[in-house]
Amino acid sequence: MNRTTVWPTLLLGLVVLTGVSSLATGPMALDISNLVNPWRLTATEQLVLVHIRLPRTLLCLGVGAILAICGAIMQGLFRNPLADPGIIGVSGGAALGAAVSMVILAPFSALLPAWLGASVTSFMAFVGGLVTTLVVYRLARTAQGTSVSILLLAGVAIGALSGGILGLLNYLADDQTLRDLTLWQMGSMAQSDPYQLALVLSTALVLTLLLRRHAHALNALALGEAEASHLGIEVQALKRRLVILAAIAVGVTVAAVGIIGFVGLVVPHLVRLVAGPDHRRLLPLSALLGAWLLLLADMLARTIAAPAEMPVGIITALLGAPFFLWLLLKQKRGLGLA
């Protein structure tokens, strides 16, 4: 087995093994040997497996893959390992859009069919993420191209503004909506709505297929915008297209499970360390590693405080924040500032 196939095979094996463990993990432990033959499970165990564990596991796989791919896109577009959907404000904008749907538009959504009501939240999250992304991107545009420093600063500012408005919506919400919003802002896999699950999985599949066509362009962009343009890449059109795709995908995940940070930051960087910067390998490997990492974090969230459940966003923050600090120190040493 050569280097080209060893990492995909290893990651796929980890995803399968962790997925099976996820199906068996929870307040009601299931025998892993019985999972290959569900008919050996009791009626209650079958109910837990089919209606709770399996949708939750699939949701982790889809959300983890989407966040990791979007992180790889952002880092490739802006040629900076510190860029991710959260850092440049996409997640905050998507969260604000979804919160507007949950607090202000809730009376109207209740009149719609269940699948359409869930779509309203997803659509508002998408709109919020897209508007935020376009504003940050426009602020970072200069005559020489896109300024990464301005991009990050604008993302922090817009993220803070989104957080302030989100706090105002929390203040205006009733008790039940406030509880839902608080749990949702910390990221939780507990609510695996079948309509949102189908939307997340279809988004992950479409995103992966579409981005395969742009791997070569992202590789060219790594040389610089001018060099990529000389190679025939329409740089600005590429950026607009990929930014919109990332905003759509992040909006779907935020609407489904809330805000989950650091997956899009950590995963692509880890993949680069072991498999190199080629986006033809980086994108699919990021999807696999992101799916596995979020699945593992969700298992930890279910077991650390059992029988209670910790929001998975707390786990990813505890894992990702030290890694982010390590990246900052590494860049500091690389610039000779250490």
Side-chain angles (χ1 to χ4, degrees):
M1 186 177 295
N2 57 38
R3 186 170 178 267
T4 306
T5 59
V6 64
W7 285 111
T9 303
L10 177 61
L11 286 176
L12 186 59
L14 283 174
V15 168
V16 172
L17 290 176
T18 309
V20 173
S21 299
S22 175
L23 294 176
T25 302
M28 177 185 288
L30 301 180
D31 189 344
I32 292 180
S33 62
N34 288 338
L35 295 180
V36 297
N37 186 8
W39 300 112
R40 296 170 59 183
L41 300 173
T42 66
T44 302
E45 290 174 335
Q46 289 182 16
L47 182 66
V48 169
L49 176 64
V50 175
H51 294 282
I52 299 177
R53 301 277 176 81
L54 182 59
R56 183 169 184 150
T57 298
L58 294 175
L59 189 63
C60 286
L61 295 176
V63 170
I66 289 173
L67 292 176
I69 292 175
C70 289
I73 292 173
M74 293 296 177
Q75 293 174 15
L77 279 179
F78 303 115
R79 304 186 302 284
N80 191 308
L82 301 182
D84 86 324
I87 296 298
I88 65 172
V90 183
S91 298
L96 177 59
V100 168
S101 173
M102 296 170 68
V103 176
I104 298 177
L105 302 182
F108 304 100
S109 299
L111 302 176
L112 301 173
W115 67 271
L116 192 55
S119 299
V120 170
T121 302
S122 299
F123 176 74
M124 290 299 297
F126 156 64
V127 170
L130 179 60
V131 170
T132 302
T133 304
L134 293 178
V135 169
V136 171
Y137 175 70
R138 185 68 185 87
L139 290 173
R141 283 285 307 278
T142 66
Q144 291 74 34
T146 303
S147 170
V148 174
S149 58
I150 296 178
L151 176 84
L152 297 178
L153 291 173
V156 171
I158 297 298
L161 178 61
S162 299
I165 300 175
L166 197 58
L168 177 62
L169 292 176
N170 285 336
Y171 178 77
L172 296 175
D174 57 48
D175 290 342
Q176 182 58 46
T177 305
L178 178 60
R179 179 178 175 83
D180 293 340
L181 273 173
T182 302
L183 181 64
W184 175 78
Q185 287 175 49
M186 292 187 288
S188 174
M189 296 291 173
Q191 303 296 328
S192 53
D193 181 275
Y195 304 108
Q196 290 186 333
L197 174 60
L199 185 59
V200 166
L201 293 179
S202 59
T203 300
L205 178 61
V206 171
L207 187 67
T208 303
L209 294 176
L210 287 177
L211 290 179
R212 289 184 61 186
R213 301 164 47 192
H214 297 294
H216 173 71
L218 286 170
N219 286 340
L221 194 61
L223 302 173
E225 294 188 10
E227 290 78 2
S229 180
H230 291 319
L231 292 174
I233 306 297
E234 296 181 4
V235 175
Q236 299 307 321
L238 174 69
K239 285 187 174 183
R240 283 194 299 270
R241 190 179 307 118
L242 293 185
V243 162
I244 290 174
L245 281 176
I248 293 173
V250 172
V252 169
T253 64
V254 170
V257 301
I259 303 173
I260 297 179
F262 292 105
V263 174
L265 172 68
V266 171
V267 170
H269 194 79
L270 287 176
V271 173
R272 286 191 191 91
L273 290 177
V274 299
D278 188 345
H279 285 83
R280 292 173 297 179
R281 302 185 64 207
L282 177 65
L283 294 175
L285 289 179
S286 293
L288 287 173
L289 184 58
W292 175 76
L293 183 63
L294 191 57
L295 198 57
L296 184 64
D298 184 59
M299 289 177 60
L300 291 174
R302 281 183 274 165
T303 55
I304 287 178
E309 180 178 316
M310 188 179 295
V312 70
I314 295 178
I315 303 296
T316 59
L318 291 174
L319 294 175
F323 187 84
F324 182 65
L325 292 175
W326 175 77
L327 279 181
L328 288 175
L329 292 175
K330 184 179 177 182
Q331 282 212 337
K332 181 181 177 181
R333 287 193 297 269
L335 294 174
L337 301 176

